[in-house]
Amino acid sequence: LTLLNGEIRGTTGKGYAVFAVGAEVVCSNMTINNFVYGLCMADYRTGNTMDTRMRLVGCQVNGTSAAVYIAGNGDRSSMKSQLIIEGGTLTGGTYALVGDGNLDSYGTDIQVLGSTLTGGTGMTQRRHDQTGQNSDNSDHDQQLDQGEAFMSVHKKLSFWG
């Protein structure tokens, strides 16, 4: 799926603009508003052995709960579900980016390049049961206080679990 230079606007603040399971998705210069999750990567779905690869370039994504939800498919694949956010803005009512590290949904690779992530009542980014590791070789959970903006300008940050 390729989405270029446009807008997807929900009317109820529910559902998803894009729901991907084992898919290839590229969004460039898109504005996505008024969905519970603007983008949902649900590779954990029963029986799925494929990994989604999603790339967002210059996108503005807003979700009433989270801009992006990501869950891998655990040990059903030797690869990882991949999300690359480059030069964009993610804003969520609770989280900008939320992932799930349960036993059946780990296995993700998230890269944030020159982007701003802002959460509302929760944290900007939350990864259950997973450790964030970034390019400065420090190991710690990537977690910010509510309402605080996270910005990656000069270096690549990667999270995997």
Side-chain angles (χ1 to χ4, degrees):
L1 174 65
T2 302
L3 302 168
L4 303 171
N5 306 317
E7 181 176 9
I8 302 174
R9 184 179 315 162
T11 57
T12 64
K14 298 178 181 176
Y16 321 95
V18 175
F19 186 90
V21 179
E24 299 253 352
V25 179
V26 176
C27 296
S28 179
N29 298 313
M30 291 293 298
T31 299
I32 298 172
N33 287 308
N34 206 25
F35 293 92
V36 68
Y37 298 121
L39 303 165
C40 181
M41 296 173 64
D43 288 348
Y44 68 92
R45 300 287 288 222
T46 302
N48 177 51
T49 59
M50 303 295 292
D51 297 291
T52 295
R53 292 190 313 187
M54 185 177 292
R55 183 177 190 102
L56 310 175
V57 179
C59 294
Q60 309 276 325
V61 183
N62 299 292
T64 56
S65 180
V68 178
Y69 175 88
I70 181 172
N73 58 17
D75 62 5
R76 291 183 304 230
S77 169
S78 60
M79 303 295 288
K80 296 184 185 309
S81 302
Q82 183 180 55
L83 172 64
I84 299 171
I85 305 160
E86 184 173 356
T89 302
L90 272 60
T91 306
T94 305
Y95 307 104
L97 171 62
V98 65
D100 193 350
N102 292 325
L103 292 177
D104 64 345
S105 57
Y106 67 89
T108 60
D109 178 3
I110 302 170
Q111 298 178 30
V112 178
L113 304 155
S115 298
T116 301
L117 283 65
T118 306
T121 60
M123 287 137 226
T124 297
Q125 186 237 138
R126 182 173 179 185
R127 306 266 297 169
H128 303 289
D129 302 328
Q130 298 184 9
T131 301
Q133 298 180 351
N134 63 35
S135 59
D136 66 7
N137 295 321
S138 62
D139 293 340
H140 51 81
D141 290 338
Q142 299 295 324
Q143 207 165 309
L144 298 174
D145 293 331
Q146 64 187 34
E148 183 177 356
F150 170 77
M151 183 178 234
S152 166
V153 178
H154 299 292
K155 68 179 182 178
K156 177 178 112 178
L157 296 179
S158 292
F159 306 97
W160 59 94

